[in-house]
């Protein structure tokens, strides 16, 4: 075992090998836990009140326009035979709806988070890589080729199912409709618009020819390069509505930003009065018990209206305070004696 | 490495005839312990690895993921961990195998001299063939298993050190060799096997056949010592040697946690199937109710329906939820066990300076079991005691000497004195020098009456080869006091008496045996006086004293009691002058008896009895059987930790009992110490039952058996019974044999387990193993066996954990042990510190590991209800890949390598801290169920709080934040922070490393996340990193952070509150000690007190002999007479056929052996 001339087998004397590294050894003593609970509880109560009050200041106006009920203004559009149906939803505001006002559409019982739905798109296509225009990835199936085996661009279920109801908002002043300008710019994420999605480069100066040899998604009325006829820059994969749609929702009930109301007379919000919304009703949801709604909302520092967070903070905060009292009582009454031999 | 032998039943070889021997294709002497070569390494190793369940499971998942209809996760989520696990194991195996290759090469290229064509040639070991004759020189390793032919030493003995392989206890032991160098004989012998203690074969030479036995075989693995040279015939080479046949066949031990883990993993598999079933049923329902109508936007594949979808979903969820079966668990467990093993190797407090031996964790997979030991089985000699006898006291002619004074006696006046010998009483030297006849007679007796073999290599340097260390101690004492035993022939003993060489004629040796308990020699002094010297147990000697000694007897008895009270082993010494006529007559009768063929033993006993009477008492000697350092303290500590200690010793009952007292196992304050020493089975049972009834009157006749069925295996587990007070049990070998019989063993177990300490005496190695097996089988307890010698190997292998005492002579115990160190006292550190910490760490690790993985996985389960049971993951795929491997790997390893509840000194201060391990409190099925519930709660919080907080909400600029990617990021961040904080809560001991790992991992998470979600990564690997921008867009939102904060607090605070309340209401021992530590922060605990050596009332062990018979035969044997005393001249190279002078003796030796029964 021993080799003479070799160094001794004695282990090194370091704090590490001897397991004596200096260490902080906190324990759950009453001096830390009880005040800790109290402080956390009070802090939570504070945050909770702040959140709750903030949430209360946020104005939200929701209108279901699915048209299930017979008296609903859009009822006639639910009849399948009707094409290009338009219906009108009216509402009135009794007070100023403080701006900037955000105009959302909401869907429920809509499973954008279904796995097969979620994967059904081609990232390479959407970065404008025309190579993938010719042969979309398999995940897009069954929306990769049409019945004539032409490649679909943009392929996949998400793109195919893009929300296509459109809205116009009018303020009714003395019986006349005054159009409220809706701002559709910059409603998608900056990264989506600037990095993630790219249009194919124009071929011979024509943007549309970049899409030569491909067909539009089956459900779309128009091709991708014709999405916004009013603004040539708002076409292709960089169309704002398309970008918003492609950011699929986490939960089966979601709302997506449609427009912002920031311009002209309405920069400060929607004044009190009567309003009329013209809905171009195209999107079918009734077959799967889906619901469509319109939402007007403004935001605060904590985002959109959500009472839950504030209430949760209040509840947890009060529980913490109660708990600290309980623990104090227990500690005073039962704390184990130090003298008894451990 | 097992070596498959060919079909030959018998091995046949011819000395020096390579051609003949090669025809049998016996293995040559090259060994190969390595497993792989360059080409086979990768395929073989991978093949082995994929045989493991965990890796096979990975592959199964990978296959599932390659099926597009099922794949719910990208392939890399499985491949990355799999590659990592495989490569870690690959690297470990590679380095192991390289080491083995190096060792093999080193050994195979050793040189040895081989006799080829009558000339000695240097050969590499690997080229040595069976049948070769090799010459070994002093300090050389034995090349192969050899048949000894001749040696340079008288009697053809050789001395060997059994370093690597220990067949016997002693450092050097003696082999009889056939003294022949060149033979043309043929050997037929047994085929290769692994029995170290047995060899059968025959040697045919010149038409005569001789039996060969183990005595003539020199095994590979030994080293030649104190022997100039020897010749041997290679019988077994390389893989056929007994050493190689013995290696690699060790029993694979697994810890109880391993077993529990296996059960749990099976349960988890079931649980996984259960969850997947629920989700697939959910999917079927969803497909039926919703999916049918949702086809507007998501058409089904052709021919798909709800049930097919449900079936595919099942497998998709198997992939997603696979993290409940924690595959990286096994790798992590091995890493942390390895780490904790290194801490044992590195511990300076278990390093023995004198022998330069550090502790060693030879098995790195059993650490946590060290923290659960309930029963310790210990050997005595060499483990509790040093196996060193020191001559401490003596009583000569009614005067007691040796009462210790500080100063050592100076023996420089005696040039032949042994410098290592110490004695503390100057008076004795003065009396010897003054020439007191009684004192001189006392030492003369010690110098003459023994069977020690002297060895004097250089003038004045004497070594004694004693059969028992007691004898060595006594002869050494005589040597130092001026009566030097210098040499012996069969007929004479030469002493140097106070500087004057004197030779006594040795007329008879009346040898020791167990019944006689004494030995005598009859010698004739140079003056012609005949004297019988006798030493033996006091009771035996007293019966044979001349009445004139009665006065002296009384005084001596007092002294004997005093010595016994100090725990010394005593012997009474007496002598008798003999009449020439009387002796002659006796000698005739003796000759008659010793040549008689029937009842020789009995007849000899009677003859001895006749002459050993009317003795005159000289006095008594007292020898201390030195305990190892710190043994009593260690035993007390272990007893406090509620560990029961059983000593299993080959010693006699008196000796064992005595040691039991001196090492604090048996204590005066024990209520009673039961001694079971009966001769029939019935009596043994009766004594056992009586003892049990006394300890616990209400205990019933039927043992309280808890029947548990584990995986179809029926096992009878005897529960512990309550006993007031402490008891001890001593049982002797004879009774033990009865008690271990099938119908009585439960009775033995019940009684013995009620006692604090159990001592079994005169047990054989097999019985040791049986006792351990009995407890192991019928008690739900972890056993540890500790020993140093070959006789302990069986119990070391049987027990859950075997500990070998290293740094001493034998290595066999160490070789078969799991842990080894130099001193018994390190056991308390091994158990109370390392074992406890290892157990604590392992349990914390497992609890945390399961918690974090379950929590991680259950979130997916809840999300299933909101995504149409579509096997959509909640988290980013990269997060799933890296969660176990990167984000949480290091903190948990840091926790399980560094954590300690209290430091080592407090661990010693409160041995009770050990109890939770014995009771399996930190990790059990119950604990696992609690983890499951805890994870369930945490995952609910971690899913539903973000769900509620994100529902219908938007960013502060009105844009999307409730999208899938943001939600995934939020959920995974909540999860990681919550489990990290939970980790912080579990950590008792925050070293800088822990801090670094924890904060580092969190920073790495954010760094990696921001990197993977960055523009650059997306532009380079578009389809792999679709989460671009998510981190930037959602982590700048206050409500996201408020949600993270809320979930963390909600996950953690209930745990804090629960723990705090439990500490107040039901504090565990651990809590109490930690509280004390906090209070005593400034004041370190006092060192364990040293307690004085206990005085033991009147117990006396009168034995200075071990029970084995020694050289008595050899000393007096006939063949001894014919051996030239001085070593013969070296035979080589003067003649190449040095047969002549040694051949006749060989024949006689073998011949005699063959004749004797």
């Amino acid at each position: 075992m021993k080799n003479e001339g070799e160094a001794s087998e004695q282990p090194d004397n370091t704090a590490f090998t001897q397991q004596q590294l200096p260490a902080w050894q906190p324990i759950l003593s009453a001096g830390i836990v009880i005040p800790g609970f109290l402080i956390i509880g009070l802090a939570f109560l504070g945050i909770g009140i702040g959140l709750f009050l903030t949430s209360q200041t946020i104005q939200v106006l929701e209108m279901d326009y699915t048209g299930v009920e017979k008296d609903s203004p859009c009822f006639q559009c639910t009849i399948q035979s009707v094409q290009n149906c338009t219906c009108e939803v009216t509402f009135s505001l009794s007070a100023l709806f403080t701006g900037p006002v955000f105009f959302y559409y909401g869907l429920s019982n809509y499973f954008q988070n279904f796995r097969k739905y979620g994967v059904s798109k081609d990232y390479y296509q959407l970065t404008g890589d025309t190579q993938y225009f010719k042969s979309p990835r398999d995940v897009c199936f069954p929306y990769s080729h049409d019945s004539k085996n032409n490649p679909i661009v943009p392929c996949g279920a998400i793109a195919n199912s893009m929300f296509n109801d459109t809205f116009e908002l009018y303020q009714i002043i003395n019986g006349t409709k005054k159009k409220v300008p809706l701002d559709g710019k910059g409603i998608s994420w900056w990264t989506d618009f600037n990095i993630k999605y790219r249009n194919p480069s124009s071929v011979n100066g024509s943007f549309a020819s970049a899409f030569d040899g491909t067909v539009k998604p089956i459900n779309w009325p128009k091709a991708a390069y014709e999405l916004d006829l009013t603004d040539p820059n708002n076409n292709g994969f960089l169309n704002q509505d398309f970008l918003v749609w492609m950011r699929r929702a986490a939960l089966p009930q979601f709302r997506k930003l449609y427009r912002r109301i920031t311009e002209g007379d309405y920069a400060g919000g929607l004044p009190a009065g009567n309003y009329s919304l013209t809905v171009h009703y195209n999107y079918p949801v009734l077959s799967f018990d889906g619901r469509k709604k319109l939402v007007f909302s403004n935001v605060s520092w904590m985002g959109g209206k959500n009472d839950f967070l504030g209430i949760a903070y209040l509840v947890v905060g009060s529980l913490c305070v109660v708990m600290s009292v309980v623990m104090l009582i227990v500690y005073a009454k039962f704390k184990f004696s130090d003298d008894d031999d451990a | 490495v097992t070596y498959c032998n060919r079909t030959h039943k018998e091995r046949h070889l011819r000395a020096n005839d390579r051609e003949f021997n090669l025809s049998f294709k016996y293995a040559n002497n090259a060994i190969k312990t390595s497993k792989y070569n360059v080409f086979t390494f990768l395929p073989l190793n991978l093949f082995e690895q994929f045989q493991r369940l965990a890796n096979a499971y990975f592959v199964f998942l990978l296959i599932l993921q390659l099926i597009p209809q099922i794949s719910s996760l990208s392939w890399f989520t499985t491949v990355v961990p799999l590659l990592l696990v495989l490569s870690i194991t690959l690297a470990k195996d590679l380095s192991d195998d390289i080491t083995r290759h190096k060792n093999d090469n080193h050994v195979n290229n050793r040189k040895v001299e081989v006799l080829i064509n009558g000339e000695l040639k240097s050969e590499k070991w690997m080229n040595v063939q069976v049948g070769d004759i090799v010459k070994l020189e002093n300090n050389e390793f034995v090349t192969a298993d050899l048949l000894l032919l001749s040696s340079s030493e008288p009697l053809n003995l050789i001395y060997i050190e059994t370093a690597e392989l220990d067949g016997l206890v002693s450092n050097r032991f003696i082999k009889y060799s056939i003294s022949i160098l060149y033979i043309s004989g043929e050997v037929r012998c047994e085929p290769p096997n692994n029995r170290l203690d047995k060899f059968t074969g025959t040697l045919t030479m010149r038409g005569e056949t001789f039996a060969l036995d183990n005595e003539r075989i020199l095994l590979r693995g030994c080293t030649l010592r104190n022997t100039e040279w020897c010749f041997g015939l290679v019988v077994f080479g390389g893989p056929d040697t007994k050493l190689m046949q013995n290696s690699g066949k060790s029993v694979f031990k697994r810890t109880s946690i391993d077993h529990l883990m296996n059960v749990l993993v099976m349960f988890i598999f079931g649980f996984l199937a259960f969850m997947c079933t629920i989700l697939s049923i959910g999917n079927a329902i969803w497909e039926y109710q919703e999916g049918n109508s949702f086809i507007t936007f998501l058409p089904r594949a052709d021919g798909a329906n709800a049930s097919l979808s449900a079936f595919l979903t099942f497998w998709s969820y198997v992939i997603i939820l696979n993290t409940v079966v924690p595959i990286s668990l096994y790798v992590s467990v091995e890493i942390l066990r390895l780490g904790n093993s290194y801490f044992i190797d590195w511990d300076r407090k278990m390093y023995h300076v004198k022998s330069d031996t550090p502790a060693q964790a030879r098995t790195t997979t059993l650490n946590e079991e060290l923290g659960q030991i309930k029963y310790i089985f210990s050997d005595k000699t060499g483990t509790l005691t040093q196996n060193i006898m020191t001559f401490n006291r003596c009583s000569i002619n009614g005067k007691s000497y040796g009462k210790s004074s500080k100063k050592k006696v100076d023996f420089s006046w005696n040039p032949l004195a042994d410098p290592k010998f110490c004695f503390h009483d100057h008076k004795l030297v003065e009396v010897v020098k003054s020439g007191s006849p009684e004192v001189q007679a006392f030492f003369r007796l010690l110098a003459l009456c023994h069977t020690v073999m002297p060895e004097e290599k250089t003038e004045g340097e004497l070594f004694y080869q004693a059969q028992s260390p007691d004898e060595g101690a006594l002869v050494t004492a005589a040597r130092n006091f001026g009566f030097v035993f210098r040499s012996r022939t069969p007929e004479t003993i030469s002493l140097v008496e106070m500087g004057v060489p004197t030779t006594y004629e040795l007329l008879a040796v009346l040898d020791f045996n167990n019944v006689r308990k004494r030995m005598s020699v009859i010698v004739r002094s140079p003056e012609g006086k005949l004297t019988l010297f006798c030493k033996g147990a006091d009771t035996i000697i007293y019966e044979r004293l001349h009445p004139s000694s009665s006065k002296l007897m009384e005084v001596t008895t007092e002294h004997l009691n005093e010595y016994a009270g100090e725990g010394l082993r005593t012997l009474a010494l007496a002598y008798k002058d003999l009449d020439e006529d009387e002796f002659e007559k006796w000698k005739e009768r003796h000759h008659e008896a010793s040549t008689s063929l029937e009842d020789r033993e009995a007849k000899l006993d009677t003859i001895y009895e006749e002459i050993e009477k009317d003795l005159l008492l000289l006095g008594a000697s007292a020898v201390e059987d030195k305990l190892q350092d710190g043994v009593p303290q260690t035993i007390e500590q272990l007893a406090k930790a509620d560990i029961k200690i059983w000593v299993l010793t080959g010693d006699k009952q008196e000796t064992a009992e005595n040691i039991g007292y001196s090492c604090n196992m048996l204590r005066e304050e024990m209520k009673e110490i039961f001694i079971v020493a009966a001769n029939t089975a019935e009596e043994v049972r009766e004594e056992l039952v009586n003892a049990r009834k006394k300890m616990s009157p209400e205990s019933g006749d039927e043992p309280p058996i808890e029947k548990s069925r584990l995986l179809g295996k029926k096992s009878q587990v005897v529960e512990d019974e309550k006993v007031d007070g402490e008891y001890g049990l001593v049982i002797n070998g004879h009774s033990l044999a009865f008690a271990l019989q099938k119908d009585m063993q439960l009775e033995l177990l019940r009684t013995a387990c009620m006692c604090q300490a159990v001592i079994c005496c005169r047990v054989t190695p097999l019985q040791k193993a049986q006792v351990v097996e009995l407890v192991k089988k019928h008690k739900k307890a972890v056993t540890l066996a500790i020993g140093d010698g070959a006789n302990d190997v069986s119990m070391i292998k049987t027990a859950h954990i075997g500990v070998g005492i290293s740094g001493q002579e034998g290595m066999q115990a160490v070789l078969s042990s799991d842990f080894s160190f130099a001193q018994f006292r390190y056991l308390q550190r091994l158990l109370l510190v390392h074992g406890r910490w290892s157990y604590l760490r392992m349990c914390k690790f497992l609890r945390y590991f399961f918690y974090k993985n379950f929590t991680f996985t259950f979130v997916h389960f809840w999300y299933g209800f909101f995504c149409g049971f579509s096997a959509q993951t909640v988290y980013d795929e990269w997060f799933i890949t890296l969660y176990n491997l990167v984000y949480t790997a290091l903190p948990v390893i840091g926790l399980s390598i560094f954590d300690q509840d209290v430091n080592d000194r407090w661990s010693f201060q409160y041995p009770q801290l050990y109890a939770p391990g014995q009771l399996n409190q930190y990790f059990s099925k119950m604990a696992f169920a609690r983890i499951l519930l805890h994870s369930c709660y945490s995952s609910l919080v971690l899913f539903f709080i973000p769900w509620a907080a994100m529902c219908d909400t938007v960013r502060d600029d009105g844009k999307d934040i409730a999208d899938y990617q943001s939600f995934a990021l939020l959920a995974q961040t909540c999860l990681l922070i919550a489990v990290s904080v939970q980790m912080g809560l579990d950590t008792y001991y925050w070293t800088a490393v822990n801090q670094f790992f924890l904060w580092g991992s969190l920073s790495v998470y954010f760094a990696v996340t921001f990197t993977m979600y960055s523009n650059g990564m997306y532009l380079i690997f578009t389809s792999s990193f679709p989460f671009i921008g998510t981190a930037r867009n959602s982590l700048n939102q206050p409500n996201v952070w408020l949600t993270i904060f809320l979930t963390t607090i909600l996950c953690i605070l209930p745990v804090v509150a629960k723990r705090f309340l439990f500490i107040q209401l039901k504090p565990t021992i651990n809590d109490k000690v930690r509280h004390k530590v906090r209070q005593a922060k400034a004041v370190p605990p006092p060192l364990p007190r040293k307690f004085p050596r206990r005085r033991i009332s009147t117990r006396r062990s009168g034995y200075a002999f071990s029970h084995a018979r020694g050289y008595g035969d050899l000393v007096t044997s006939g063949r001894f007479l014919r051996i030239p005393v001085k070593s013969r001249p070296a035979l080589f190279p003067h003649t190449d056929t040095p047969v002549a002078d040694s051949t006749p003796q060989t024949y006689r030796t073998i011949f005699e052996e063959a004749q004797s029964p």
Side-chain angles (χ1 to χ4, degrees), chain A residues 97-138:
Chain A
F97 201 105
T98 323
V101 178
F102 295 86
F103 180 8
Y104 299 90
Y105 61 89
L107 292 170
S108 53
N109 203 25
Y110 192 104
F111 288 83
Q112 256 203 324
N113 59 6
F114 200 82
R115 178 168 57 88
K116 282 178 191 149
Y117 179 89
V119 296
S120 188
K121 62 176 171 181
D122 186 336
Y123 291 109
Y124 292 103
Q125 254 188 14
L126 296 171
T127 51
D129 190 337
T130 46
Q131 203 184 324
Y132 291 86
F133 282 26
K134 304 282 178 301
S135 52
R137 292 201 311 160
D138 296 339

Side-chain angles (χ1 to χ4, degrees), chain B residues 20 46 94 133 164 203 238 241 354 422 447 561 663 696 739 796 811 818 844 858 915 988 996 1047:
Chain B
F20 175 79
L46 287 180
L94 184 67
I133 289 179
E164 283 180 55
L203 170 68
T241 57
K354 251 193 221 153
C422 313
N561 286 342
C663 68
S696 167
I796 284 176
M811 284 293 286
D818 304 309
K844 270 195 177 180
F858 288 169
Y988 285 156
F996 174 74
T1047 50

Side-chain angles (χ1 to χ4, degrees), chain B residues 482-494:
Chain B
F483 286 79
V484 185
F485 167 57
R486 192 126 193 214
S487 65
R488 74 155 75 231
T489 70
E491 286 136 358
T492 60
I493 296 176
S494 301

Side-chain angles (χ1 to χ4, degrees), chain A residues 11 19 21 115 247 250 306 313, chain B residues 841 863 870 949 963 989 1042:
Chain A
Q19 305 198 62
L21 288 174
R115 178 168 57 88
R247 183 147 288 278
N306 187 319
Y313 265 86
Chain B
R841 290 166 184 172
Y863 191 52
S870 61
D963 64 305
Y989 196 78
L1042 284 173

